[in-house]
Amino acid sequence: MRLLLVEDDEAIANGVRDALRRAGFAVDHARDGEAAWVMGGDEEYDVVVLDLGLPRLDGMTVLRRWRAEGRVFPIIILSARGAWLDKVEGIEAGADDYLAKPFEPAELVARVRALVRRKAGHAEALLTFGPLLLDTRRMKALVHGSEVNLSPLEYRLLHALAHSGGRPLSAGELSEMLHGVDAAEANAIEALVARLRRKIGAEVIETRRGFGYCLMDG
Amino acid sequence: MRLLLVEDDEAIANGVRDALRRAGFAVDHARDGEAAWVMGGDEEYDVVVLDLGLPRLDGMTVLRRWRAEGRVFPIIILSARGAWLDKVEGIEAGADDYLAKPFEPAELVARVRALVRRKAGHAEALLTFGPLLLDTRRMKALVHGSEVNLSPLEYRLLHALAHSGGRPLSAGELSEMLHGVDAAEANAIEALVARLRRKIGAEVIETRRGFGYCLMDG
DNA sequence: CCGAAGCTGACATCCCGCTGACAGCCCTCG
DNA sequence: CGAGGGCTGTCAGCGGGATGTCAGCTTCGG
């Protein structure tokens, strides 16, 4: 799950980044508005956390430009200005949420998770696919009610499939999501899927030959 | 746009309801938890605004029950309790947003709008042609409601025909679309169509002798 | 009734995806 | 610092589904 954090205050940025990383997000960090603008134009992030008071290019401007360009990723505004008028303005400009400083990192994490849930079209932090239950808050998986020990990559693979909304994800796409930008990692994904199937049961991960992988219904 | 407001305090309810109606929502009003529970079970609301301190059935309980039942409408919590821990708890329980009292109705309206926007991004991509239903997100086809397993080429062929706007596509065109630039693959397309017809029913793909193929109306 | 376009079943091939084994890497622990 | 173990990428081989090809048949239009 890729997330862009736009924040110039290093102290706040470090705290937030750590909290988000612990929550399982791959966090990119932009320190000014122009960097944010470029990064948001290149990558397709799952969520953007956007400070308003930025050097070089104001946060609201970045927000409006993104929306004018048709970028649809969820955006949470962080701001020192907590008056209701500021909040209304931010949200009407296209933000999905508005959090006034100072705030507790845990609340930000909760709100980010709510947006990810909503973006994927479901409402709960617990997702079930047949015998598999994915607890996205604790980052754990249960099969038939008993906990399964997953490696980081295995968990992220399940997480990616669980949030794809039923769309099959190809090995290439998955490789790109789990590793860096460029894929091309031999058959690493197939091997990963095989190991995962041994742990959680073969039928949970469906192979759609020629399309990719997806999780079983239920 | 239908909205359910759950709030027992008449003064707050009136203010909020007026603001939401002015914003164009059709507002239903529940004054206690049990009424809310019933109404949310019957109707499919676009957004629910849920107070936590309710007579007869606690707001958090209603929220959890809805989510346990699989109701996915966006929920905004209203609460007098504004501590970050309360907010985290509410959101993790399945709410999409949390607004502490006192609040400005305009802010609530803005947040409701943000949720509606986000929900609107989930337009379903379903195309129907007679008994055939093409689910472009899952890349699956249903015939008379039962799932059909399509090979990649078969799916792409249907997809191409579905997007041709009723214009028949010749074997040559189809071959060019499915394979590379130059077509000329013997009668591969005819064979493909034959296999496809066996799976989804012959009448779905019409042959327009001399012109090509197209999907039946529907 | 004829010819061409299209259909179909059989078959061969090819490539995708599965698997088990192995190796390098990193972290932990003695 | 070295040993051990878990995690993950790589390789080679295999099985089977996907798809092109062909030959013969059917259908349509004139």
Side-chain angles (χ1 to χ4, degrees):
Chain A
M1 198 80 356
R2 295 179 68 76
L3 186 149
L4 175 61
L5 169 63
V6 187
E7 171 64 66
D8 60 318
D9 182 315
E10 287 295 331
I12 297 178
N14 287 336
V16 168
R17 187 174 42 199
D18 289 353
L20 289 167
R21 290 228 166 108
R22 248 173 298 153
F25 291 91
V27 181
D28 289 356
H29 182 191
R31 287 175 178 77
D32 65 70
E34 282 195 6
W37 163 244
V38 172
M39 293 168 79
D42 285 351
E43 294 283 332
E44 197 45 55
Y45 288 99
D46 296 293
V47 178
V48 174
V49 176
L50 178 66
D51 184 28
L52 285 192
L54 291 172
R56 295 167 67 85
L57 195 57
D58 175 57
M60 281 297 284
T61 307
V62 176
L63 167 58
R64 282 190 224 275
R65 281 206 201 164
W66 274 335
R67 293 307 192 211
E69 251 196 351
R71 311 238 149 234
V72 294
F73 37 58
I75 297 176
I76 301 186
I77 289 180
L78 298 183
S79 169
R81 311 189 54 182
W84 67 269
L85 211 54
D86 297 314
K87 297 185 182 181
V88 170
E89 189 192 1
I91 294 173
E92 295 294 357
D96 291 86
D97 202 344
Y98 189 112
L99 196 48
K101 298 177 185 178
F103 59 89
E104 203 59 38
E107 182 180 348
L108 176 60
V109 170
R111 288 182 179 274
V112 167
R113 269 205 279 257
L115 280 179
V116 170
R117 281 195 316 244
R118 182 53 61 193
K119 188 186 173 200
H122 47 71
E124 295 188 89
L126 295 178
L127 304 173
T128 65
F129 303 90
L132 172 70
L133 191 151
L134 208 58
D135 184 336
T136 59
R137 195 148 56 101
R138 307 185 150 166
M139 295 199 274
K140 284 183 176 174
L142 307 186
V143 176
H144 291 123
S146 58
E147 191 174 324
V148 180
N149 198 0
L150 296 181
S151 79
L153 262 189
E154 288 165 352
Y155 175 79
R156 292 211 284 151
L157 175 62
L158 282 185
H159 193 271
L161 291 176
H163 284 81
S164 74
R167 187 172 74 84
L169 299 178
S170 69
E173 285 177 288
L174 286 168
S175 184
E176 188 173 328
M177 295 170 80
L178 301 185
H179 309 124
V181 275
D182 52 1
E185 250 98 15
N187 68 338
I189 296 295
E190 277 107 327
L192 190 62
V193 169
R195 285 190 271 259
L196 201 36
R197 280 183 171 146
R198 230 169 293 148
K199 289 187 182 181
I200 66 176
E203 67 292 350
V204 178
I205 302 180
E206 252 180 82
T207 301
R208 306 282 308 284
R209 202 163 240 264
F211 295 107
Y213 300 96
C214 57
L215 295 179
M216 109 188 245
D217 300 334
Chain B
M1 199 76 3
R2 295 180 63 76
L3 185 147
L4 175 61
L5 169 63
V6 188
E7 170 65 66
D8 61 317
D9 182 315
E10 287 296 334
I12 297 179
N14 286 337
V16 167
R17 186 173 43 200
D18 289 352
L20 288 167
R21 290 219 168 117
R22 249 172 311 175
F25 291 91
V27 181
D28 289 356
H29 183 192
R31 288 175 177 73
D32 65 72
E34 283 196 7
W37 163 241
V38 172
M39 292 169 79
D42 286 351
E43 295 283 335
E44 197 46 54
Y45 289 100
D46 295 294
V47 178
V48 174
V49 176
L50 178 66
D51 184 27
L52 285 193
L54 292 171
R56 297 166 66 84
L57 194 57
D58 175 58
M60 280 298 283
T61 307
V62 176
L63 168 58
R64 283 188 222 276
R65 282 204 199 166
W66 275 336
R67 292 308 192 211
E69 253 196 349
R71 313 240 149 234
V72 294
F73 37 56
I75 298 176
I76 301 185
I77 290 179
L78 299 183
S79 169
R81 310 189 56 184
W84 66 270
L85 210 55
D86 297 313
K87 298 184 183 180
V88 170
E89 189 191 2
I91 293 173
E92 294 294 358
D96 291 85
D97 202 341
Y98 190 112
L99 196 48
K101 298 179 186 176
F103 58 89
E104 202 60 38
E107 182 180 350
L108 175 61
V109 170
R111 288 180 179 275
V112 168
R113 282 218 192 97
L115 281 177
V116 170
R117 278 202 310 259
R118 183 54 59 193
K119 194 184 176 194
H122 270 289
E124 296 197 16
L126 298 179
L127 306 170
T128 65
F129 302 88
L132 172 69
L133 192 150
L134 208 57
D135 183 334
T136 59
R137 190 152 49 92
R138 297 184 166 178
M139 306 207 244
K140 278 183 178 177
L142 305 186
V143 176
H144 292 123
S146 60
E147 196 173 300
V148 179
N149 197 3
L150 297 182
S151 79
L153 230 54
E154 289 164 353
Y155 176 80
R156 285 170 52 196
L157 175 65
L158 281 184
H159 196 270
L161 291 177
H163 283 45
S164 76
R167 187 175 73 85
L169 298 178
S170 70
E173 285 176 289
L174 286 168
S175 185
E176 188 173 331
M177 295 171 78
L178 302 186
H179 309 122
V181 274
D182 52 359
E185 249 100 12
N187 69 339
I189 296 295
E190 276 110 330
L192 189 62
V193 170
R195 284 191 274 258
L196 202 35
R197 280 183 170 147
R198 222 172 303 143
K199 289 187 181 180
I200 67 176
E203 68 289 354
V204 178
I205 302 180
E206 266 179 66
T207 301
R208 308 286 298 283
R209 207 161 233 268
F211 296 99
Y213 301 95
C214 58
L215 294 179
M216 88 186 270
D217 302 332

